Amino acid sequence: MRSALKWAGGKKKVVHEIATLLPSKGRRRLVEPFVGGGSVFLNLDFDEYLLVDLNQDLISLFNIIKNEPTKFISDAEKFFNGDYNQQEKYYDFRKQFNQSTDSYERSLLFLYLNRHGYNGLCRYNKSGGYNVPFGRYKHPYFPKEELKYFSEKAQKATFIQGDFETAFSQLRADDVVYCDPPYSPINPTSNFTAYAGNSFTDEDQKRLVGYAELAKQKNIPTLISNHYVDFTRELYKGATKSKLFQVQRSISQKGKGRVKVQEILALYK
């Protein structure tokens, strides 16, 4: 099932790779400290889900879809008529979003900006302003069925805004953890770790592995995704098991930059 959001680095195409390595036997709850667009949550079957993300707009949107699906879908659909698919209107709505303090209004605009903005990016400037440019799509898709499905599945989920430490601090014995952190860059020009106005550093990557090791000591398995580069090769050398595979990346504006890159899944169990 697709996410209702376009999401750079989304896991829809590689859920099967994740599922083959993620321990599920005897595990009732899936914990995701970086839920992002939610593709893993939507496509794996557990009794419960604890879904955390640093992005407050994302978590607010997910809670509103969970709790007010009929009203939200009806209100959101109005933003997907042809009159609103214009550059000037997009930037007006982006300005309105950045000035708004109402969580419901921001959620409606967040979905609009996500589907009309460039390439599924979610990016904020240092002042916290959403700054993704207009995407120039002919007919932005309104994800009505995806929103309905998300709302149904979300009844088993708890959504919390916070750092990944927030998720690890609430682990239970019957949990399994899947981490999709901002990836280590392939090269200096491909660094997209600036997320929700913050930067996810090498030290944060190391800190995440530390939490995975602590969870392992409590017999709670953790699976982590990342680019396979020199830094992560060294970072995950202590993993119980790892898996390499190739995935198509489409961040680059130029077609020739949309190439297959190698990723790693590192399991701590």
Side-chain angles (χ1 to χ4, degrees):
M1 191 66 192
R2 295 187 302 181
S3 169
L5 297 172
K6 295 169 63 179
W7 206 257
K11 292 295 176 285
K12 176 173 65 75
K13 295 181 180 179
V14 297
V15 167
H16 64 286
E17 301 281 2
I18 294 166
T20 59
L21 206 56
L22 187 74
S24 58
K25 187 175 181 180
R27 303 292 164 177
R28 295 191 65 250
R29 187 173 72 164
L30 173 66
V31 178
E32 290 193 64
F34 310 87
V35 65
S39 290
V40 174
F41 146 68
L42 289 169
N43 288 284
L44 295 183
D45 189 25
F46 287 83
D47 294 335
E48 297 177 61
Y49 305 85
L50 174 61
L51 306 173
V52 178
D53 203 278
L54 192 60
N55 189 322
Q56 181 62 64
D57 292 316
L58 183 71
I59 295 301
S60 293
L61 171 65
F62 286 170
N63 275 315
I64 286 170
I65 297 171
K66 174 183 177 180
N67 297 316
E68 304 177 68
T70 303
K71 174 176 170 51
F72 181 82
I73 290 171
S74 176
D75 291 342
E77 192 166 15
K78 299 170 186 175
F79 287 86
F80 286 76
N81 66 61
D83 293 338
Y84 289 172
N85 187 30
Q86 301 175 20
Q87 181 170 306
E88 183 178 359
K89 183 62 74 172
Y90 175 87
Y91 288 116
D92 284 344
F93 279 136
R94 195 179 75 174
K95 182 179 180 181
Q96 182 180 341
F97 173 82
N98 285 331
Q99 293 176 343
S100 177
T101 57
D102 181 84
S103 61
Y104 188 82
E105 179 184 40
R106 284 181 69 90
S107 292
L108 288 172
L109 292 171
F110 186 77
L111 179 63
Y112 164 83
L113 293 170
N114 173 265
R115 303 296 313 195
H116 290 75
Y118 178 71
N119 212 28
L121 292 178
C122 180
R123 190 182 65 196
Y124 300 77
N125 60 31
K126 291 183 179 180
S127 300
Y130 191 88
N131 65 357
V132 177
F134 183 54
R136 301 182 184 279
Y137 301 110
K138 287 186 178 180
H139 302 289
Y141 174 68
F142 180 61
K144 188 171 185 176
E145 295 306 314
E146 288 85 347
L147 289 166
K148 288 180 179 178
Y149 183 83
F150 188 101
S151 176
E152 292 171 4
K153 188 144 191 182
Q155 302 310 308
K156 295 181 178 181
T158 299
F159 299 98
I160 300 175
Q161 188 274 337
D163 181 83
F164 65 83
E165 293 181 3
T166 305
F168 279 95
S169 70
Q170 299 185 38
L171 294 186
R172 306 185 318 212
D174 59 354
D175 285 342
V176 60
V177 185
Y178 170 65
C179 297
D180 182 26
Y183 276 15
S184 293
I186 298 173
N187 55 61
T189 62
S190 64
N191 193 341
F192 282 89
T193 61
Y195 180 65
N198 296 5
S199 179
F200 203 80
T201 66
D202 288 352
E203 289 305 312
D204 291 322
Q205 300 282 6
K206 294 175 184 177
R207 196 160 51 94
L208 177 59
V209 169
Y211 274 92
E213 292 280 12
L214 289 173
K216 175 183 173 181
Q217 293 174 16
K218 299 176 183 178
N219 197 33
I220 301 171
T222 300
L223 184 65
I224 305 175
S225 291
N226 215 319
H227 282 142
Y228 188 59
V229 293
D230 289 343
F231 173 74
T232 56
R233 184 184 301 114
E234 181 68 18
L235 179 65
Y236 301 134
K237 65 181 182 181
T240 308
K241 188 176 182 181
S242 62
K243 180 179 183 179
L244 301 178
F245 60 97
Q246 288 192 320
V247 64
Q248 190 79 29
R249 277 282 167 255
S250 56
I251 292 290
S252 176
Q253 187 174 3
K254 298 179 181 179
K256 66 180 181 180
R258 304 185 180 200
V259 297
K260 286 190 175 181
V261 298
Q262 200 164 32
E263 292 197 5
I264 183 170
L265 286 167
L267 176 64
Y268 294 82
K269 179 185 177 185

